[in-house]
Amino acid sequence: MKIVHLAAGAGSMYCGACAHDALLVSELRRMGEDAVVYPLYTPLKLDGEFAFPQREIHLGGVKAYLQHKSRFFRAIPERWVGWLDNEKLLHWASKFAVSTKPTELGPMTLDTLNGSLGPMAKEFERLADAVALEEPDIVTITNSMLSGVAPLLKVKAATPIVCFFQGEDSFLEALPLFYKEACIEQIRQNSACIDLFIAPCEDHREKMLELLACDPGKVRVVRTGVDTNAIPTAERRKEGEPFTVGYLSSILPGKGLDLLIEATRGHDIRLLVAGKVLDKKYFQSLDKRQFEYLGELSPTDKAAFYGKIDVFCLPSRIRESRGIAVLEALANGVPAVVPDKGVFKEIHALTRAVALCEPESVESLRSVLTRIHGNPQLLNALRSSAREGIRMHYNAQTMAEETLELLRIVARI
C-alpha cells in the first residue's frame, strides 16, 4: 500500500509526536508497505536512526509565519521565496521560534486550520499538489491541528484520509476562549473530510469525541508503541548509592517538575533532571540546589541516564495521551511514578509497573516516592513488571500491525 504520512517537525527539540511518527513509518516499511513522510513546518529531529524516505519540507515555518503576518508576503511568487524552506535555515530559525505557548498562538493556529481558505492557501495548495502526484492509496496526518489540509486533499488526491490524535486537547484548552472555540469548530468542519481518527488511548479518545462531537465509530484506539529492540541494556546502578529519581521531559510548567522538586525536598532522595528547557523563566524559578540538571540527552546518554535511577517520575499537570517518556523508562526496566489521570491510568492497569499519585499533589507524590524508597520488595516487583509490560502491550510491532489493519479497512485494500 502506498502511504503518505504528513508529520509536523518540532524544530530543534525532540518531540513525542515525531518519535511516534518515525517509529510507525519505519515499522510499516519493515512490514513491506510503501510509506513516505512529508515533513511540515521544520525538519524532523529524531531520537535515533530511522530509515524512511522524506520529501521536501512543506508549510515551512518561516514562510507560514510571514504569510500569516503579511498580505504583501502572500502575494510574492513561490520562485522568489522557495529558498525559505531550506532545511538548514528552518533548523536554525526554529531555535528562535516566536512562541510555543498556546496562549500566544491562537491566530496562527486558526489560520492553519483554515487551510486553503486562510492566508497560507498557497502553501496548502502546493502540499496537496505534491501529495496528489504520489498517487497514494491513503494519506495519514499526524494530528488534527493539521486537518486544514484534508478538504483540499480530498479534491486533489481523491484518497481516504486517516488522522491521529496526539494530545491536541491540552493545546486547545490553553488557547484564549475565542480561538479555542473557533479552532474546535474548524476541526469539526475539517473532520467531515477525514475517514477515520486514531487515538493513542481510551482516555484521549473520549476527550476528543467530546471536543469534536463526532460519531464514536469514527475514532479507534491504537496504543503507542516503543521499539524495545533499539533500547540498549543500561548498566544498573550499584548497591549503596542513594535512592535516585529521574525526570526526562520538556521543562515547562505543564510537566510539573516543580512538584517533583518539592516532593523530594528534605528527603534522602537524589534527583536527576534532563530535557530541553522550553520555558526559561520557569526553569530559572526552580531551586537548582535540589537537583542535578543533565541537559537534553542523546539516545546514548539516555541509556546511561536510566542506569543511574531507581524510579522515573513525570508529575505532569497535562492530561497526557501518549506517555512516551514513561514507556521508554519502563522499556529500560525502570518503574515510574505518575499522576492518576490520562494515559497513565491505562499504563498502570496494563503493565503494573507504575505507581499512581494524586494529580498535582506534592503530598501524595512525596508519599508514593518515600513508600517505594523504603520498600525494596515493592521496587523490585515494579521493576520485574516493567519490560514485560511494554513487550506485551506497548511494542512498536503491535502498534504498526493494528494501524495497518485500520488503514487497509479504510482504503478497502
Side-chain angles (χ1 to χ4, degrees), residues 118-233:
M120 290 176 268
K122 288 196 304 183
E123 294 305 301
F124 279 95
E125 291 273 354
R126 199 167 70 87
L127 171 60
D129 285 340
V131 171
L133 289 174
E134 300 274 358
E135 298 185 347
D137 294 304
I138 198 164
V139 173
T140 55
I141 303 175
T142 185
N143 64 65
S144 62
M145 306 306 291
L146 285 167
S147 60
V149 73
L152 203 55
L153 283 174
K154 275 297 183 185
V155 173
K156 297 207 170 205
T159 181
I161 300 172
V162 171
C163 181
F164 294 90
F165 290 141
Q166 301 218 52
E168 49 268 56
D169 61 317
S170 298
F171 182 90
L172 289 166
E173 292 288 355
L175 290 172
L177 182 60
F178 170 81
Y179 288 105
K180 171 188 170 182
E181 293 177 347
C183 288
I184 290 174
E185 177 56 32
Q186 191 58 51
I187 295 174
R188 288 177 177 177
Q189 292 183 31
N190 295 339
S191 68
C193 297
I194 294 172
D195 298 88
L196 184 73
F197 290 100
I198 297 178
C201 68
E202 288 291 346
D203 181 85
H204 195 39
R205 175 182 182 271
E206 294 303 315
K207 182 62 178 177
M208 293 306 292
L209 280 173
E210 177 187 342
L211 278 179
L212 301 187
C214 64
D215 176 3
K218 198 172 180 177
V219 185
R220 301 290 293 273
V221 172
V222 175
R223 287 191 291 270
T224 299
V226 293
D227 185 3
T228 54
N229 296 322
I231 296 175
T233 302

Side-chain angles (χ1 to χ4, degrees), residues 90-121:
L90 288 171
H91 188 273
W92 174 82
S94 70
K95 298 178 182 180
F96 310 96
V98 175
S99 176
T100 57
K101 298 178 181 179
T103 53
E104 300 173 11
L105 286 176
M108 191 164 182
T109 300
L110 185 56
D111 281 352
T112 302
L113 286 169
N114 283 332
S116 62
L117 301 179
M120 290 176 268

Side-chain angles (χ1 to χ4, degrees), residues 238-308:
K238 297 179 176 60
E239 293 295 329
E241 293 182 346
F243 182 77
T244 305
V245 175
Y247 171 101
L248 173 56
S249 187
S250 301
I251 298 177
L252 70 169
K255 296 295 184 177
L257 176 56
D258 57 300
L259 302 174
L260 179 57
I261 291 171
E262 289 305 310
T264 56
R265 187 184 299 276
H267 291 72
D268 185 23
I269 296 176
R270 180 188 182 201
L271 178 56
L272 298 182
V273 172
K276 188 176 182 66
V277 176
L278 295 184
D279 190 319
K280 292 182 179 180
K281 288 184 178 179
Y282 171 72
F283 185 65
Q284 290 168 356
S285 73
L286 301 176
D287 186 350
K288 309 300 189 301
R289 298 169 299 178
Q290 295 297 117
F291 64 91
E292 180 182 347
Y293 178 55
L294 306 176
E296 193 174 10
L297 302 184
S298 69
T300 303
D301 293 333
K302 275 189 179 182
F305 172 80
Y306 290 122
K308 294 175 182 177

